[in-house]
């Protein structure tokens, strides 16, 4: 969602003096910044309740409580607010029309615009997207997802009430998946991790066929194969084909519509992702007990790490993979099988430049934050948000707090 | 001889065995013995010399007047030994009996492994028996219900997501009355600490969440809690033998911490949750050690007091004793740190005997208390020794840094009419910790 | 018969004993690899620490709870292993076959130790009957095994004092000794080989992984 039209001229702007903000409000919660770095905001305590400050301004609407303040990728500011003992969403200062007993778990669709949440109203649970709630609610909702265009939502829903400790009823299956408010016919013992295909016409989810057999359901149809366990499925981009890691005879495999994709089996396999062109697949894998690595198209990297390997990130051309790793209690990034030599107290997701040549990540070292570019750290700040490359890959956008002032700076890559 | 042991009715055991076929039993038993077990099972079975030296380790054996049926080795004999000997050719009644032994007469406390000269892991063998029962759907009703809750909600008490967040928010509001700057920061990415609790806290003991908000504020720590599932790392699936759900719960918990970019997890006063998160969960998932550092409350409070981050204003005067939780003392060696905290906060302390690694289990752990009301009487009988042990200390308060111990000991105190109180460390800290006046602000 | 017993039988017995033991150890290690979660957690320091505590008389809480039984049991095991190794008659045979020998027990002591083993074994047998827990978990095979354990000691004693016909008894002694060696790897007597492995593993699970003691 990096904007061509953002200010990419190399310069440094002092956006907001936070000292003034902190003097002005008795309570300032967690600071957040807009993707383009032009705005900084946080929930603040004002007379009669809470509001959100952004730069020098504050939302006119006061709520009894305001939390989960975030920017959408396109830069709208929203938060969850309690007004007159009812919950709603405030977007850029304007509350939604709908009011709920509770509303939470915001998600933004892949289009970067549509905002979905789970709501509870009159003891029923549903999904609301952009102020439009489902018509019918359910006894409970746990997981949900939005279609890439933000028009549809799917959730795991509880279909029948369970009496206290009614294990027999539970085992008969009371969970299902509802799409836009209507549930599939079939009920399962459990359903988890629903996901839409690219055009939003199909939903896949993990399900439990029996207490110890797991499978995948797609639009209510269950695969004819069962596994010892499965993890979150995903669609092959642009197709209706579903892939998922599955545990088969004690080993994990990647399966597509019930048939193995790779010959290799693993001790563990999860976080499957496709390259942007949909041609390559990467996943987190463990071949040997206690060792973790990335496997790309069935081939594991030679190196492995002990503590943790996060979800892999493809470069835009799909030829490179970078990932957060943790080894011997130190965090860093590994790119195409090689870890950066410098390690950190904490590191954030790697971001590739549009030409796939460079990688930048936010990192923490000794209580200060820095941008790490291709493994080299530069300038440390009191606070820093995740850095980005300009669309042409020549500049880096840094959003940071320095001497209590929030600054936005575009720096040429060559100067870092 | 098992006829002497009371058979307790439980639909989780009685109903499923009616449907079991000999073929299904045999197939399941052999699947577990051949595919899910390897060296340990065989070596333990071959090495045990049937010397009975493990008997005196077990609170159930001691509490039941040394009934040989309750000796650790007897529990293995009546379950796994027979299965191996008969190659799984047993009937439903055998499985039912095995379930009663494995789920309700052993708390997987591992005390017996410290008494067996060979260090045979009886608890592991019993867990294998549980696994077989689970695959046959023979699990005590209430324990299975807790596992079902984990499967459906990722927490152990069917807490809805809105209930969870709402509870944290009103607990923050409560904490504000004490300290106007207290917070429960939700979803704060990059905080130093994620604080984990188990479902009974939001469900029935919400003030503990308010307490932690105050303790964190006084100690000046940067912390957060998730507003998504993944906050509860307690794990009854681990004890019911449903390792797939166990793994799912623990994975979500670790990945929630990774998502929030915290450097460590501090987990509240619960022992089995610690065990699930640090040992059993990671191992099933493939981690040798937890992916992110996890610190149990005992260690956390020890650090806060010993580094002066919180100061003790006045010690409590009542006479206290402490229950060493199996999973954090025998299971983590935190006994000395626990005593440091007590010395710092209490004037009069008498240890139970035996103590530290050798303390008797509370009889609630290992999933036993979660077997629910049908088994309460049996659980009480199985821990007379604990009642006697507590009584001997003469203390008025039993400090229990573990939810299972807390409930288990409360039950024992009630059943044996000991007339004592049970408290968490955090409650003791709330009574003894200094809250600087400037922190209390104008409201004070 | 005597020649066979004195020659090939001994060889066979030692071969079975050492071969079988080696097989048990190796197969346990291979199986442990399959068990995935065993070997990665094992560290010499913690294994040895635990083993030390458990081979030291009264080194563990459980042993201190029953000092008489512990001392008795230690002496039994010491006599059981030391007597055959250090008996003059055996060492002489070694010298004849391989040309080297070592220190031996004075005959009197050796006899006392043998007697101790026999009495000890009988007491263990009685304990199997008398102690309700042990009785519950014992089976006929446990008594047979005990008989096999005591066999060479009883026959050895009879041979030494030349009770019955020496030639028959000494052959019996050799056969029972051979049986003794042969059953070690394949019966519960394997505990003698497995002890360092099981104890060492538990020592690590407690010490290395959990930072706690297991004695
Ligand atoms: S309850 Fe504890 S001591 Fe008793 S058999 Fe089980 S693990 Fe051993
Ligand atoms: S103490 Fe160990 S060897 Fe003896 S009976 Fe118990 S488990 Fe078996």
């Amino acid at each position: 969602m990096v904007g061509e039209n953002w200010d990419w001229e190399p310069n440094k702007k002092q956006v907001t003096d936070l000292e003034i903000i902190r003097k002005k409000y008795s309570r300032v919660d967690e600071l957040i910044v807009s993707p383009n770095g032009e705005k900084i905001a946080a929930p603040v305590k004002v007379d009669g309740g809470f509001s959100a400050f952004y730069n020098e301004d504050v939302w006119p609407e006061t709520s009894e409580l305001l939390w989960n303040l975030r920017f959408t990728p396109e830069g709208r500011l929203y938060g969850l607010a309690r007004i007159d003992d009812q919950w709603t969403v405030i977007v850029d200062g304007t509350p939604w029309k709908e009011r709920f007993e509770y509303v939470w778990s915001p998600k933004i669709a892949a289009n970067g615009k549509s905002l979905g949440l789970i709501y509870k109203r009159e003891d029923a649970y549903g999904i609301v997207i952009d102020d439009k709630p489902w018509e019918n609610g359910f006894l409970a909702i746990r997981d949900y997802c939005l279609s890439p265009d933000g028009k549809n939502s799917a959730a795991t829903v509880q279909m029948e009430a369970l009496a206290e400790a009614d294990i027999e009823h539970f085992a008969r299956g009371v969970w299902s998946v509802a799409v836009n408010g209507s549930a599939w016919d079939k009920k399962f013992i459990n359903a988890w991790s629903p996901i839409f295909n690219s055009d939003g016409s199909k939903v896949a989810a993990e399900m439990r066929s029996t207490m110890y057999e797991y499978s995948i359901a797609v639009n209510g149809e269950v695969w004819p194969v069962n596994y010892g366990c499965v993890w979150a499925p995903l669609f092959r981009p642009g197709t209706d084909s579903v892939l998922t890691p599955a545990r088969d005879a004690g080993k994990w495999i990647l399966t597509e519509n019930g048939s193995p994709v790779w010959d290799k089996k693993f001790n563990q396999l999860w976080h499957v992702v496709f390259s942007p062109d949909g041609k390559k697949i990467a996943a987190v894998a463990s071949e040997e007990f206690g060792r973790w690595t990335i496997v790309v198209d069935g081939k594991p990297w030679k190196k492995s790490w002990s503590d943790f390997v996060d979800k892999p990130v493809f470069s835009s051309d799909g030829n490179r993979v970078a990932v957060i790793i943790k080894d011997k209690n130190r965090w860093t990034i590994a790119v195409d099988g090689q870890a950066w030599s410098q390690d950190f107290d904490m590191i954030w997701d790697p971001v590739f430049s549009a030409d796939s040549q460079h990688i930048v990540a936010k990192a923490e070292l000794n209580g200060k934050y820095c941008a790490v570019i291709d493994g080299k750290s530069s300038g440390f700040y009191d606070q820093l948000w995740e850095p980005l490359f300009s669309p042409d890959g020549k500049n880096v956008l840094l959003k940071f707090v320095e001497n209590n002032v929030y600054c936005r700076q575009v720096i040429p890559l060559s100067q870092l | 001889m098992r006829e002497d042991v009371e058979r307790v009715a439980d639909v989780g055991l009685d109903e499923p065995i009616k449907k079991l076929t000999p073929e299904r039993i045999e197939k399941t038993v052999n699947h577990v013995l051949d595919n899910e077990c390897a060296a340990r099972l065989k070596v333990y079975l071959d090495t045990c010399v049937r010397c009975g030296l493990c008997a005196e380790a077990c609170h159930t054996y001691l509490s039941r007047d040394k009934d040989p049926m309750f000796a650790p080795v007897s529990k293995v004999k009546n379950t796994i030994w027979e299965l191996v000997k008969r190659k799984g050719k047993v009937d439903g009644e055998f499985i039912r009996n095995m379930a009663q032994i494995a789920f309700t007469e052993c708390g997987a406390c591992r005390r017996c492994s410290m008494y067996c000269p060979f260090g045979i892991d009886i608890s592991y063998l019993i867990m294998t028996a549980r696994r077989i029962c689970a695959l046959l759907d023979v699990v005590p009703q209430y324990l299975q219900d807790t596992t079902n809750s984990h499967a459906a909600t990722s927490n152990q008490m069917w807490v809805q997501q809105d209930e969870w967040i709402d509870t944290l928010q009103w607990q923050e509001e409560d904490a504000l009355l004490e300290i106007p700057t207290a917070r429960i920061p939700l979803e704060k990415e990059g905080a130093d600490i994620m604080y984990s609790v188990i479902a009974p806290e939001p469900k029935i003991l919400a003030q503990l969440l308010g307490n932690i908000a105050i303790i964190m504020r006084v100690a000046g720590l940067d912390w957060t809690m998730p507003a998504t599932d993944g906050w509860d790392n307690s794990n009854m699936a681990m004890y019911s033998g449903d390792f797939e759900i166990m793994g799912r719960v623990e994975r979500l918990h670790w990945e929630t911490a990774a998502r929030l970019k915290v450097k460590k997890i501090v987990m509240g006063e619960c022992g089995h949750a610690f065990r699930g998160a640090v040992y059993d969960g990671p191992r099933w998932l493939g981690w040798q050690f937890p992916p992110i550092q996890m610190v149990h409350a005992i260690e956390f409070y020890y650090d806060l007091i010993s580094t002066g981050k919180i100061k003790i204003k006045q010690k409590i005067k009542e006479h206290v004793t402490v229950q060493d939780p199996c999973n954090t003392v025998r299971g983590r060696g935190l006994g000395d740190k626990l005593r440091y905290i007590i010395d710092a906060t209490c004037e009069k302390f008498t240890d139970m005997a035996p103590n530290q690694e050798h303390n008797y289990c509370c009889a609630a752990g290992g999933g036993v208390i979660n077997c629910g009301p049908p088994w309460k009487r049996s659980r009480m009988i199985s821990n007379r020794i604990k009642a006697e042990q507590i009584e001997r200390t003469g203390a008025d308060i039993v400090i229990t840094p573990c939810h299972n111990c807390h409930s288990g000991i409360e039950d024992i105190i009630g059943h044996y009419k000991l007339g004592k109180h049970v408290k968490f460390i955090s409650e003791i800290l709330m009574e003894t910790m200094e809250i600087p006046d400037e922190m209390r602000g104008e409201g004070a | 018969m005597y020649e066979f017993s004195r020659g090939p039988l001994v060889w066979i017995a030692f071969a079975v004993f050492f071969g079988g033991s080696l097989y048990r150890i190796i197969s346990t290690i291979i199986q442990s690899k399959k068990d995935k979660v065993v070997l990665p957690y094992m560290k010499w320091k913690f294994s040895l620490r635990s083993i030390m505590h458990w081979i030291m008389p009264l080194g563990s809480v459980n042993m201190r709870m029953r000092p008489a039984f512990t001392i008795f049991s230690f002496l039994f095991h010491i006599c059981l292993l030391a007597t055959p190794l250090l008996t003059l008659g055996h060492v002489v045979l070694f010298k004849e076959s391989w040309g080297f020998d070592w220190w031996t027990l004075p005959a009197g002591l050796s006899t006392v130790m043998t007697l101790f083993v026999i009495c000890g074994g009988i007491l263990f047998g009685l304990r199997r009957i008398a102690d309700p827990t042990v009785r519950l978990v014992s089976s006929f095979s446990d008594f047979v095994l005990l008989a096999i354990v005591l066999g060479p000691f009883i026959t050895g004693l009879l041979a030494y004092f030349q009770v019955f016909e020496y030639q028959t008894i000494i052959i019996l002694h050799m056969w029972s000794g051979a049986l003794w060696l042969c059953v070690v790897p394949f019966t519960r007597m394997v505990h003698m080989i497995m002890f360092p492995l099981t104890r060492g593993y538990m020592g690590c699970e407690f010490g290395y992984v959990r930072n706690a003691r297991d004695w």
Side-chain angles (χ1 to χ4, degrees), chain A residues 156-275:
Chain A
T156 58
V157 292
Q158 187 179 341
M159 302 299 294
E160 292 165 30
L162 287 171
E164 196 205 320
D166 192 346
I167 54 174
E168 188 268 333
H169 191 179
F170 180 87
R172 268 189 279 137
V174 297
W175 285 85
S176 189
V177 171
V179 182
N180 300 327
S182 24
W184 292 347
D185 299 337
K186 290 215 178 74
K187 282 175 276 199
F188 312 116
I189 297 174
N190 287 109
W192 301 283
S193 329
I195 188 165
F196 277 99
N197 65 350
S198 313
D199 68 5
S201 61
K202 285 214 151 68
V203 175
E206 296 175 68
M207 55 77 68
R208 231 169 150 187
S209 316
T210 69
M211 293 299 269
Y212 294 93
E213 288 174 305
Y214 293 69
S215 193
I216 298 293
V218 186
N219 273 22
E221 288 306 313
V222 180
W223 283 0
V225 271
N226 280 316
Y227 297 99
C229 194
V230 294
W231 299 128
L234 80 170
F235 282 91
R236 193 176 272 278
T239 74
D240 292 345
S241 189
V242 178
L243 293 94
T244 197
R247 193 167 199 249
D248 193 25
K251 285 276 192 182
W252 286 88
I253 56 167
L254 182 67
T255 155
E256 183 161 14
N257 307 321
S259 327
V261 184
W262 301 330
D263 354 313
K264 252 195 147 33
K265 297 180 172 192
F266 303 90
N267 264 331
Q268 189 52 271
L269 183 72
W270 56 40
H271 287 312
V272 183
V273 294
F274 275 94
S275 60

Side-chain angles (χ1 to χ4, degrees), chain B residues 192-258:
Chain B
D192 288 334
I193 293 167
M194 173 169 119
Y195 186 68
S196 288
V197 295
I198 73 168
E201 300 208 4
K203 198 83 182 178
I204 45 186
L205 295 162
Q207 77 284 0
L208 295 178
L209 292 160
N211 290 354
I212 199 70
I214 292 169
I215 293 170
M216 291 283 189
R217 179 67 195 90
V218 171
L221 297 172
D222 178 19
W223 68 297
T224 188
M225 291 182 99
T228 59
D229 287 341
W231 49 268
D232 180 351
N233 63 334
S234 70
N235 213 319
M236 280 306 141
M238 162 173 78
Y239 286 140
S240 74
D242 190 343
F243 301 152
E244 289 75 15
I245 295 298
M246 167 190 78
R248 184 173 290 271
V249 168
E250 298 303 343
R251 179 187 170 195
L252 180 66
H253 179 248
W254 287 115
E255 291 195 336
T256 302

Side-chain angles (χ1 to χ4, degrees), chain C:
Chain C
M1 193 65 181
Y2 178 76
E3 279 314 308
F4 173 78
S5 311
R6 158 106 179 59
L9 179 71
V10 179
W11 284 103
I12 293 168
F14 274 112
V16 173
F17 173 75
F18 285 111
S21 303
L22 206 63
Y23 164 77
R24 286 306 299 260
I25 292 172
I26 291 171
S27 75
T28 301
I29 291 171
I30 291 171
Q31 286 273 310
S32 303
K33 286 215 172 104
K34 208 181 133 206
D35 225 340
K36 283 190 287 200
V37 297
V38 175
L39 298 181
Y41 295 102
M42 292 199 67
K43 289 271 177 280
W44 283 105
K45 178 181 159 193
F46 295 97
S47 292
L48 293 175
R49 191 176 78 159
S50 175
I51 291 169
M52 286 309 289
H53 275 274
W54 284 91
I55 57 172
M56 220 163 54
L58 305 180
S60 73
V61 168
N62 198 11
M63 293 189 218
R64 288 196 290 276
M65 274 163 56
R66 47 181 99 239
F69 179 81
T70 302
I71 303 287
F72 164 74
S73 170
F74 266 84
L75 284 177
F76 173 80
H77 282 91
I78 291 167
C79 294
L80 187 72
L81 295 177
T83 316
L85 277 177
L86 301 177
T87 290
L88 181 64
H90 293 167
V91 176
V92 165
L93 291 178
F94 263 99
K95 173 123 183 144
E96 281 173 15
S97 306
W98 282 302
F100 64 93
D101 60 2
W102 53 83
W103 182 83
T104 57
L105 292 165
L109 185 55
S110 182
T111 309
V112 171
M113 285 167 72
T114 305
L115 271 169
F116 188 86
V117 170
I118 296 168
C119 298
I122 291 167
L123 281 176
F124 270 134
L126 290 176
R127 179 172 177 270
R128 266 203 193 288
I129 299 165
D131 183 306
T133 300
V134 187
R135 182 170 67 232
L136 177 70
V137 296
S138 295
S139 57
F140 183 62
S141 66
D142 292 302
F143 294 95
V144 173
L145 201 62
L146 200 56
I148 293 175
V149 170
L150 297 187
F153 290 87
I154 296 171
T155 50
L157 202 69
L158 293 178
Y160 181 74
F161 287 109
Q162 313 246 342
V163 191
F164 304 122
E165 190 207 349
Y166 180 75
Q167 202 65 10
T168 314
I169 292 294
I170 202 72
I171 290 174
L172 268 180
H173 178 64
M174 285 167 172
W175 279 85
S176 62
L179 186 62
W180 194 105
L181 285 172
C182 290
V183 300
V184 167
F186 307 106
T187 60
R188 241 182 288 299
M189 267 163 72
V190 80
H191 73 265
M192 142 182 181
I193 306 164
M194 290 300 171
F195 169 77
L197 303 182
T198 55
R199 191 77 251 168
Y201 170 64
M202 211 21 117
C204 292
E205 281 285 7
F206 271 76
Y208 172 51
V209 180
R210 291 180 176 74
N211 188 30
R213 287 166 297 202
D214 67 333
W215 53 83

